[in-house]
Amino acid sequence: MTITTAVFDAYGTLFDVAAAAREAAAEPGRAALADNWPALAAHWRSKQLQYTWLRAVTGDHTDFWTVTCDGLDWALEATGLAGDADLRDRLLQLYRELTAYPEVPDMLTRLKTMGLSTAILSNGSADMLDAAVRSAGISDRLDDVLSVDSVGIFKPAAAVYDLVCARFGCDRHEVLFVSSNGWDACCAAAYGFTTAWVNRAGDPVDRLPGRPMHELPDLTRIPQLAEPEYGKFHNL
């Protein structure tokens, strides 16, 4: 099997979704946030994802920025920080400029050197993704940034995964799909992609129809998975 295209989820995979809360907590005058920023970050991410799934099920689609704001509002109330408009604005500003994980630039460079097409496939709104990619300085390492905006439904709908082969003219088995979300990696595997789950937290595998072919602690070894010789000896 030959991998021709490497596709990445964005939030939590290339970009650290906890960075906004962590960086805001380190700023002067943020003592209340400093005491419980991990809880706020966890609540924020959890609700953000839940709202995408619920909107997909109900057919009440909206842009990812809206569910990001809604998730933050829930998290602020849950952690006793509701009503601090300045904090809310600052967290949302930082979310648009999320820090990329340190291995990301070199990993993408290696994939491009190998001749692979590279892309993001994300629930994120196009403007959010553009801001994050530019902030991380990785625009020149990506051939495209694919957003669910074009299909009007969130992952893991098959219509979202369809965007990859439509854009690159490849077969499903030629795609190495990488996500830090276990549910995303499982659903992409069931769809037919070769999948790698970046399991930074050491979580159990989700009980879903598909199962990721690879499980890694970070993105460092992603280029190795795309090498033809690796596939030959590891039954990719």
Side-chain angles (χ1 to χ4, degrees), residues 163-186:
L163 292 172
V164 175
C165 294
R167 164 61 179 83
F168 290 100
C170 57
D171 293 328
R172 297 181 186 187
H173 68 268
E174 296 179 276
V175 176
L176 175 63
F177 180 79
V178 185
S179 181
S180 65
N181 300 298
W183 56 269
D184 192 17
C186 287

Side-chain angles (χ1 to χ4, degrees), residues 8-12 15 17 45 48-49 52 61-68 95-96 98 120-133 145-155 160 163 181 183-184:
F8 298 84
D9 171 65
Y11 297 104
F15 307 116
V17 292
R45 178 59 170 168
Q48 180 192 53
L49 290 174
T52 65
H61 186 71
T62 189
D63 60 274
F64 194 65
W65 185 244
T66 297
V67 297
T68 298
Y95 201 92
R96 294 187 73 90
L98 284 176
I120 284 174
L121 178 68
S122 174
N123 280 339
S125 306
D127 60 335
M128 290 178 66
L129 293 167
D130 180 64
V133 167
V145 178
L146 306 174
S147 166
V148 301
D149 286 355
S150 62
V151 291
I153 191 169
F154 292 115
K155 288 190 288 183
V160 179
L163 292 172
N181 300 298
W183 56 269
D184 192 17

Side-chain angles (χ1 to χ4, degrees), residues 1-4 6 110-111 114 116 175-178 194-198 213-216 218-232 234 236:
M1 183 183 301
T2 300
I3 298 297
T4 63
R110 289 170 61 195
L111 290 173
M114 293 166 60
L116 271 70
V175 176
L176 175 63
F177 180 79
V178 185
T194 298
T195 60
W197 178 30
V198 185
M213 185 171 290
H214 307 286
E215 182 178 340
L216 306 171
D218 57 40
L219 294 160
T220 306
R221 290 183 53 236
I222 292 300
Q224 182 181 352
L225 303 185
E227 292 175 353
E229 290 303 309
Y230 188 90
K232 181 187 299 184
H234 292 77
L236 286 182

